[in-house]
Amino acid sequence: MVTSKEICQIGRPHIMDLNDDCLGMIVRRLNVMQQYQISKLHTRFKQIVKSQWRCKLNHVVVYPELLENIDEATFVGFMQEVGPHMQSLLMRHCDIRYLRLLSDQIFNRVETFGWMGEGGSGGGGEAGDSGGEELSEFQGDREKQFLDEDLNLLTRVFPKLQVLKLRGCQITGKYLAQFSSLKHLSLDDCQCLESDNFQEVFQELKLRKFDIMEDCDEINCCDLIELKKCPTLEHIKIADYHLCFDTDIINDILRMPNLKKLSIYSKNFVFDVLERISRTNLKQIVAFKFNGVLHNFERFFRELNHMRHLKKLSFYECRGYDIEGIRDHMLVQISKQFADLEEIHLCSCDLESDRGVLSFVQNCHKLKLINLTSCRKGISESVIWRCMELMKKQKWRTHHLEMWLKDAYIDKAILEDPRYMYNNRFLKLDFKQSLQDSNPPGVLKFTFST
């Protein structure tokens, strides 16, 4: 390693002539692996990297591009260096052998680990390959898959893990119950799960969030009956094929004492799920969100009328198969039903006109937010002027109403229009804020009062 004194003796301009602020700006432009490598070149770089890691390095993401031209010893050294600063580690589409290199390490500070594999299908040959070749490829591919033994490895390497998110793994789940500190368990595209292991998981762990919503077909309603043995659960994310509508599993879930949120992914039974839960007397629904395509908006909105205590209603990319989308009379009807509504989100939705939106301004006296992010059909600048005129007549109004318009077909120059600047008391326009929905299309999310 070169010292500053040796550099000064050379006499020509050098990067180390820069002060620490400039060197810090350079280091911040590098990815975390490059920062580790440059810290080995000079003591000043090492001090700057360490200083930045102490302040900002809580979450580390490892991916193939980061590991290009990195040997095993460098990777282990890198993980040892970031370990004291790292609280969260995500390994995305990595060779499983990199994880196995950490088998002798212990990272006590890591509370969140995520593994994003290529998929749970397990590999296999192309159509037309011989059966022997398919078997050989499958066995070779298993060596690169995340297996039960790797799950067991995590219990040793990350002893204080609280959040575990696995996607595309070939695990049966037999070691899941060993994560004694686990609060959040997410399993996506894990198609080798065995139902026998979940009774122990729900009995032994004090989970708060359980997510098995995407492509875990081996777990069915009979296995999820055991959910009630985990009374600490606050948020459950499952799919409609995990439910049997002729049994009491939904009621068992709704009776769980600490349940606050229930998300259900549905391709074919949206109305069955909505009808069963919206009409329940076991929980009071205060928020509902749906994203996806519907073939019958009329029936959908009729079921919404049963949720009379809603404070937040959200639709994301809600469109119809062969109809225009959400009709005005549907929004007008539910606006009259939800006296306590505080937020209405109509993001990326196809609307008939602004009449449906304005009905919430007129009928919902507690309304604080209208979100029209990316709403480009049925909404124009006139909704703002009509809203302002309507609010002027509301003698009862004492609080502001926000309207989010990011990526909508409304020019933000309206903020400088004198009609908005000087004749407006309660309407606040925002062209920056938005809410992202990370769920796949077809998810119904219910939030309950506590």
Side-chain angles (χ1 to χ4, degrees):
M1 185 178 292
V2 184
T3 65
S4 295
K5 184 177 180 180
E6 292 171 332
I7 290 174
C8 293
Q9 292 173 349
I10 298 175
R12 62 177 180 268
H14 195 278
I15 189 173
M16 301 311 295
D17 294 337
L18 299 172
N19 61 34
D20 285 354
D21 289 339
C22 292
L23 293 179
M25 292 174 65
I26 294 172
V27 169
R28 282 193 290 272
R29 305 278 294 187
L30 307 176
N31 65 45
V32 66
M33 181 63 77
Q34 293 168 337
Q35 291 176 353
Y36 165 73
Q37 291 174 312
I38 202 174
S39 72
K40 299 300 180 183
L41 301 179
H42 193 278
T43 54
R44 283 181 67 196
F45 276 125
K46 183 175 182 178
Q47 292 170 356
I48 292 168
V49 169
K50 289 289 185 182
S51 176
Q52 293 188 7
W53 284 3
R54 277 195 298 269
C55 299
K56 298 182 178 179
L57 192 70
N58 292 323
H59 180 59
V60 175
V61 181
V62 179
Y63 48 93
E65 294 79 9
L66 189 78
L67 301 175
E68 285 183 354
N69 303 317
I70 299 298
D71 58 32
E72 295 180 358
T74 301
F75 175 72
V76 174
F78 162 73
M79 292 300 297
Q80 289 172 336
E81 290 286 338
V82 300
H85 311 281
M86 179 175 60
Q87 290 182 304
S88 173
L89 173 63
L90 171 62
M91 300 187 72
R92 189 174 63 211
H93 305 310
C94 294
D95 191 320
I96 189 62
R97 287 171 289 190
Y98 283 102
L99 178 61
R100 293 168 184 167
L101 289 174
L102 305 177
S103 60
D104 296 329
Q105 309 297 319
I106 296 178
F107 299 93
N108 282 313
R109 200 164 184 268
V110 173
E111 297 178 349
T112 300
F113 176 80
W115 176 269
M116 185 178 293
E118 298 292 346
S121 61
E126 298 179 358
D129 288 345
S130 67
E133 289 175 346
E134 287 182 357
L135 179 61
S136 176
E137 285 190 30
F138 176 76
Q139 291 173 339
D141 195 51
R142 275 185 58 84
E143 297 178 1
K144 300 178 183 179
Q145 292 282 351
F146 191 108
L147 307 174
D148 281 326
E149 291 74 15
D150 302 304
L151 193 61
N152 191 29
L153 178 150
L154 294 183
T155 63
R156 303 191 308 270
V157 177
F158 307 113
K160 298 183 179 180
L161 211 59
Q162 295 187 21
V163 179
L164 178 61
K165 299 180 179 181
L166 303 177
R167 174 181 287 273
C169 298
Q170 299 287 312
I171 60 170
T172 64
K174 67 178 180 179
Y175 294 114
L176 287 172
Q178 295 184 12
F179 292 90
S180 58
S181 301
L182 205 63
K183 305 297 182 186
H184 177 179
L185 175 60
S186 177
L187 304 170
D188 290 334
D189 197 13
C190 298
Q191 298 183 14
C192 296
L193 294 172
E194 295 179 2
S195 57
D196 294 343
N197 296 315
F198 277 86
Q199 182 173 356
E200 186 180 9
V201 169
F202 297 136
Q203 285 179 336
E204 299 296 328
L205 301 184
K206 295 181 179 180
L207 295 174
R208 292 183 180 176
K209 184 174 181 179
F210 177 63
D211 179 356
I212 195 171
M213 191 164 62
E214 294 185 59
D215 297 322
C216 293
D217 303 2
E218 297 301 317
I219 305 302
N220 57 40
C221 62
C222 298
D223 309 315
L224 292 184
I225 289 176
E226 304 296 333
L227 272 172
K228 59 186 178 183
K229 295 182 178 179
C230 188
T232 54
L233 276 169
E234 298 176 1
H235 189 181
I236 299 173
K237 301 179 71 172
I238 52 180
D240 58 10
Y241 55 77
H242 293 141
L243 303 174
C244 180
F245 296 103
D246 294 330
T247 70
D248 287 332
I249 182 171
I250 292 182
N251 289 336
D252 287 341
I253 291 175
L254 293 177
R255 289 190 184 100
M256 298 182 72
N258 293 300
L259 187 67
K260 297 177 182 178
K261 297 179 181 180
L262 175 61
S263 301
I264 302 178
Y265 172 51
S266 182
K267 290 183 178 179
N268 303 309
F269 302 104
V270 170
F271 299 110
D272 299 281
V273 171
L274 183 59
E275 178 180 343
R276 189 72 180 269
I277 298 178
S278 67
R279 302 187 183 196
T280 183
N281 295 319
L282 299 173
K283 293 281 186 182
Q284 189 176 100
I285 303 169
V286 295
F288 174 73
K289 179 169 70 173
F290 177 75
N291 65 334
V293 178
L294 289 170
H295 67 273
N296 190 335
F297 276 102
E298 295 283 354
R299 181 182 175 187
F300 190 84
F301 275 82
R302 281 200 303 271
E303 291 301 330
L304 291 183
N305 286 325
H306 295 283
M307 305 182 201
R308 297 185 180 275
H309 301 284
L310 277 186
K311 295 183 178 180
K312 181 178 179 180
L313 178 60
S314 307
F315 296 104
Y316 289 81
E317 298 186 9
C318 199
R319 300 182 174 92
Y321 283 111
D322 53 0
I323 58 177
E324 293 297 322
I326 302 177
R327 311 298 290 179
D328 285 340
H329 72 273
M330 302 174 188
L331 295 177
V332 171
Q333 179 63 33
I334 62 172
S335 73
K336 295 177 181 178
Q337 298 289 333
F338 304 146
D340 296 326
L341 196 69
E342 297 177 1
E343 298 182 16
I344 174 71
H345 299 262
L346 298 166
C347 306
S348 302
C349 293
D350 291 344
L351 306 179
E352 182 180 0
S353 75
D354 56 17
R355 175 172 166 261
V357 174
L358 292 170
S359 66
F360 290 97
V361 181
Q362 181 174 1
N363 299 320
C364 303
H365 289 195
K366 297 181 181 180
L367 194 66
K368 298 177 182 178
L369 172 62
I370 298 176
N371 184 357
L372 300 175
T373 299
S374 300
C375 227
R376 301 182 178 183
K377 189 171 183 179
I379 294 296
S380 65
E381 191 176 292
S382 65
V383 70
I384 297 171
W385 310 127
R386 293 181 65 189
C387 184
M388 287 172 55
E389 289 299 319
L390 186 59
M391 294 171 74
K392 284 180 182 179
K393 301 174 183 178
Q394 296 175 334
K395 304 299 183 183
W396 50 265
R397 182 171 292 279
T398 58
H399 59 271
H400 285 86
L401 173 63
E402 288 189 47
M403 186 178 289
W404 292 0
L405 297 166
K406 184 178 180 180
D407 297 328
Y409 279 161
I410 297 177
D411 193 341
K412 63 176 63 177
I414 197 172
L415 295 173
E416 300 175 0
D417 191 304
R419 290 177 294 172
Y420 172 74
M421 296 174 66
Y422 304 118
N423 297 322
N424 172 42
R425 287 185 61 197
F426 295 110
L427 184 62
K428 180 182 177 182
L429 304 182
D430 193 316
F431 287 85
K432 296 180 180 180
Q433 295 202 66
S434 63
L435 294 177
Q436 301 296 324
D437 183 37
S438 59
N439 289 320
V443 173
L444 303 95
K445 181 177 180 179
F446 304 86
T447 302
F448 308 105
S449 61
T450 55

